[in-house]
Amino acid sequence: MSQRSVSDALVERLRQWDVDRVFGYSGDGINGVIGALRRAGEPRFVQARHEETAAFMAVGHAKYTGRVGVCLSTQGPGAVHLLNGLYDAKLDSKPVVAIVGQQLSTVLGTAYQQEIDLVRLFGDVCAQFVQVGQTPEQVPVLVDKAFRTALATRSPTCVVLPHDVQTAAAPEPTEHRHGVLVSSPGLRPARVLPYADDVAAAAAVLDAGERIAILVGQGAYGATGEIVELAERLGAGVAASLLGKPVLDETLPFHTGVLGHLGTTASAQLMKRCDTLLLVGTNDPWTEFYPAPGQARAVQIDIDGRRLGVRYPVEVPLLGDAKETVRMLTETVKPHNDRAWRAEVRGSVSRWHEIATARAAAPADPLNPQLVVRALNDHLPADAQVAVDVGSVTYWYARHLRLPAGVPAHLSSTLASMGSALPYGLAAKLAHPDRPVVALVGDGAMQMNGLAELITVAARWTQWPDPRFVVCVLDNRDLAEVTWEQRETEGEPRFPESQDLPTVSYDRWAELLGLRGVRVSSPRDLGAAWSTALSADRPTVVHAVVDPAVPLLPPGQPSDKIAPMFAGLSAEQGAVARRAEANLRRERADEGYGGPSAGDS
């Protein structure tokens, strides 16, 4: 190619935006950009097995690095496949830019092959910015605006490039005439702080509280020390949203763990008993686990004003950066010397640890999945990166895994899309190839996307200075989270045709790919399995055969909320259902509930 094309200019712009890799899948609609990536050598192109997982990789890249993730696809089906990952970015507030090919401009509107109205297709998921590059001069401006908007709004954006625009001659970068805009890349974050009067008003609310709870979310990343200092000054208990789990050390005696349906009894108790609530960088949707409206006075800190007062009635909303705003509050509030509330919180935390230990140690057939995840605590490297899929494995991660300080852990939280852990883990490993990765995956998610993306792991691991990439598959042959949801919300028995999963030898699949496979079905072999996987000279799949009869019990629920679970189980036949009933009664008893064989009271 003799002349510099629009695609060449696009790739140069990506480098100026500090993009080091682009995740995607090639196709004729994006050939111009693929050719420019080849010629430039940077950014590196990362081929996924499917456009959906390429988009998940871009989201994972944004989560593990804090930079913009970029995904690339052809028109038509390739574009459609991106949607799930882009919605993951939208709902978890991560900056991602999608670059999507399109048919020639001359055929648009004629129902041409693979022609889809891409602006309409991406209009919701990329609502902050989606545009078609219709002329060469327009493309650099659109790329700059896509990146700037993605960063400013923490959301996905999209630039659509017809094939003829991709291959057209690049415009002069300094062209100066009417109707042509010349823009520049780059965006530096601003310092956002609330007014001092608002901080004083918030401090007054906290000072008046006797039983203060702090809920931290992903927006509190980077404010760890400040939150601990404020909690100590207020004598507060602290809980975390699922996305906020890595923010604070969960071994702190006043940290009650994750809040919500998959959270802890200590967090449920914290919210039931508090009279004051401070929300820091959280948009957690489990509002039925918040204090009842009117129970607690509330202060909220968030960098996005659209989220203030949305999840709970807030008396003082503070628009600002979490780290500095929390520091301002700490300097303003009075120390709380009455530690009766802190003692109550510590008691709830201690009781939860007893419950969690007992639940993980409970007998199962063959393995208790809680024990599998809990056993990782003794083996997880201090420099690990963790990726978690969606399903019952999310519960065990939330309740049992203790993350060492500085270990990031990410998952598709708000969209809660299965099949995200392997692409997330790959993005983490490509960003930091010298650090080990652990991906926790259920068998449903592994069959959905994981088996395919394990091929990508096999294709790339020899390039990594640290080859450790551990995938733990919890194999219970059941779509367990949905099974338990059917019982809990509908009182329905398990529907085998809907919930049964095919038998797959995940460890042998790994070995066929040249990786390591470890199968474990006995508690006595768990420690050795984790140790082997995390010291192996290549990526390893730990195939853990676990019991589907372990309940996904929401914490601290009244008996009428749990009665449908017993009703659904009572309509089921077989040993698994009877084990599940017994386990459910035992776990309810752990929380202080009891009752007749038909349910609890």
Side-chain angles (χ1 to χ4, degrees):
M1 191 169 184
S2 58
Q3 63 180 7
R4 180 172 170 272
S5 71
V6 168
S7 293
D8 293 313
L10 166 69
V11 170
E12 289 174 12
R13 210 60 155 196
L14 294 180
R15 291 201 301 271
Q16 291 172 333
W17 277 102
D18 198 29
V19 175
D20 51 10
R21 58 184 57 86
V22 174
F23 305 94
Y25 202 86
S26 59
D28 61 348
I30 206 69
N31 276 345
V33 177
I34 292 290
L37 287 169
R38 177 191 63 78
R39 289 189 293 274
E42 292 181 349
R44 300 295 300 274
F45 179 72
V46 178
Q47 184 198 73
R49 310 274 61 76
H50 193 282
E51 289 91 354
E52 177 181 325
T53 52
F56 276 133
M57 288 178 191
V59 182
H61 179 86
K63 289 185 173 184
Y64 287 98
T65 68
R67 304 199 305 272
V68 179
V70 179
C71 54
L72 177 68
S73 87
T74 189
Q75 73 258 332
V80 172
H81 289 161
L82 289 179
L83 287 176
N84 203 40
L86 293 178
Y87 271 108
D88 185 37
K90 179 178 180 177
L91 271 62
D92 277 355
S93 301
K94 296 302 171 186
V96 170
V97 172
I99 300 169
V100 185
Q102 179 59 294
Q103 287 289 6
L104 296 167
S105 302
T106 53
V107 301
L108 295 181
T110 68
Y112 202 74
Q113 183 185 26
Q114 293 192 333
E115 183 194 348
I116 292 175
D117 185 341
L118 295 180
V119 171
R120 182 174 295 181
L121 179 73
F122 291 107
D124 179 59
V125 68
C126 296
Q128 299 298 324
F129 184 81
V130 53
Q131 289 290 334
V132 179
Q134 299 180 2
T135 69
E137 293 81 6
Q138 190 184 9
V139 172
V141 180
L142 295 185
V143 171
D144 288 342
K145 190 163 185 181
F147 274 85
R148 195 167 285 114
T149 302
L151 286 165
T153 63
R154 294 171 300 283
S155 69
T157 60
C158 179
V159 176
V160 178
L161 296 177
H163 190 271
D164 51 319
V165 175
Q166 295 172 42
T167 56
E172 287 296 325
T174 57
E175 190 168 2
H176 186 54
R177 60 183 172 88
H178 178 70
V180 174
L181 300 180
V182 179
S183 62
S184 58
L187 179 66
R188 297 192 180 196
R191 187 183 184 207
V192 181
L193 296 176
Y195 287 108
D197 288 351
D198 291 329
V199 174
V205 171
L206 297 175
D207 286 340
E210 296 180 358
R211 299 185 304 277
I212 301 171
I214 301 174
L215 178 61
V216 300
Q218 64 170 337
Y221 272 104
T224 299
E226 287 75 13
I227 292 171
V228 171
E229 184 179 358
L230 178 60
E232 293 282 20
R233 190 167 179 84
L234 295 173
V238 178
S241 72
L242 184 59
L243 286 174
K245 177 179 169 73
V247 171
L248 297 184
D249 181 358
E250 287 185 295
T251 64
L252 291 168
F254 54 85
H255 194 320
T256 61
V258 171
L259 176 74
H261 193 281
L262 38 60
T264 72
T265 58
S267 290
Q269 187 68 10
L270 179 74
M271 293 297 159
K272 285 179 181 177
R273 290 277 299 134
C274 72
D275 64 12
T276 309
L277 178 64
L278 172 61
L279 302 165
V280 184
T282 179
N283 195 37
D284 191 286
W286 293 106
T287 54
E288 65 268 36
F289 289 89
Y290 285 38
Q295 170 192 325
R297 299 176 70 186
V299 173
Q300 184 178 1
I301 299 169
D302 207 290
I303 195 71
D304 188 341
R306 295 171 296 183
R307 294 185 172 173
L308 293 169
V310 172
R311 299 301 189 199
Y312 192 79
V314 170
E315 191 168 332
V316 183
L318 297 176
L319 181 63
D321 171 76
K323 184 183 181 76
E324 294 201 65
T325 304
V326 170
R327 185 184 298 140
M328 293 170 70
L329 269 179
T330 303
E331 294 169 352
T332 309
V333 298
K334 300 172 183 176
H336 286 222
N337 297 317
D338 183 355
R339 293 287 151 156
W341 171 240
R342 177 61 73 83
E344 181 180 332
V345 171
R346 290 170 70 111
S348 295
V349 171
S350 178
R351 178 62 184 139
W352 163 249
H353 288 323
E354 293 173 1
I355 291 171
T357 299
R359 287 180 178 178
D365 184 14
L367 255 180
N368 188 328
Q370 300 178 92
L371 183 62
V372 176
V373 175
R374 196 171 183 87
L376 176 57
N377 289 324
D378 295 329
H379 301 274
L380 188 64
D383 61 342
Q385 302 179 97
V386 176
V388 185
D389 222 299
V390 170
S392 58
V393 68
T394 319
Y395 286 71
W396 315 141
Y397 156 73
R399 293 173 178 174
H400 293 285
L401 188 62
R402 296 190 307 271
L403 297 169
V407 169
H410 293 288
L411 71 159
S412 172
S413 179
T414 315
L415 182 63
S417 178
M418 291 171 62
S420 52
L422 263 291
Y424 270 31
L426 274 159
K429 190 67 174 181
L430 291 170
H432 304 288
D434 57 338
R435 298 176 64 174
V437 165
V438 176
L440 302 175
V441 189
D443 47 0
M446 193 65 182
Q447 291 183 20
M448 183 175 286
N449 282 340
L451 291 173
E453 287 308 330
L454 202 61
I455 297 172
T456 309
V457 174
R460 290 185 171 270
W461 75 268
T462 57
Q463 305 167 21
W464 301 334
D466 184 332
R468 291 175 296 172
F469 189 107
V470 179
V471 181
C472 177
V473 184
L474 300 183
D475 175 17
N476 57 19
R477 291 80 59 205
D478 182 33
L479 290 173
E481 183 174 15
V482 177
T483 290
W484 281 99
E485 285 172 343
Q486 288 171 341
R487 293 165 178 154
E488 178 187 355
T489 62
E490 312 299 334
E492 284 280 346
R494 184 177 183 275
F495 181 29
E497 288 83 353
S498 163
Q499 301 308 108
D500 284 351
L501 288 172
T503 298
V504 175
S505 296
Y506 303 100
D507 54 327
R508 292 181 62 194
W509 171 240
E511 291 169 353
L512 283 171
L513 294 173
L515 309 178
R516 184 82 179 266
V518 177
R519 186 181 181 91
V520 58
S521 58
S522 170
R524 65 176 178 271
D525 298 328
L526 264 178
W530 279 119
S531 180
T532 297
L534 284 162
S535 61
D537 64 351
R538 64 194 59 213
T540 302
V541 170
V542 176
H543 180 166
V545 184
V546 299
D547 193 342
V550 178
L552 304 186
L553 177 64
Q557 295 300 289
S559 297
D560 64 314
K561 296 292 186 182
I562 304 302
M565 279 190 174
F566 285 105
L569 284 167
S570 68
E572 297 178 28
Q573 304 298 316
V576 173
R578 303 291 74 79
R579 265 200 329 277
E581 279 182 327
N583 289 336
L584 184 55
R585 288 192 207 99
R586 174 181 48 76
E587 294 200 359
R588 286 290 282 172
D590 288 342
E591 298 185 9
Y593 300 91
S597 59
D600 60 31
S601 61

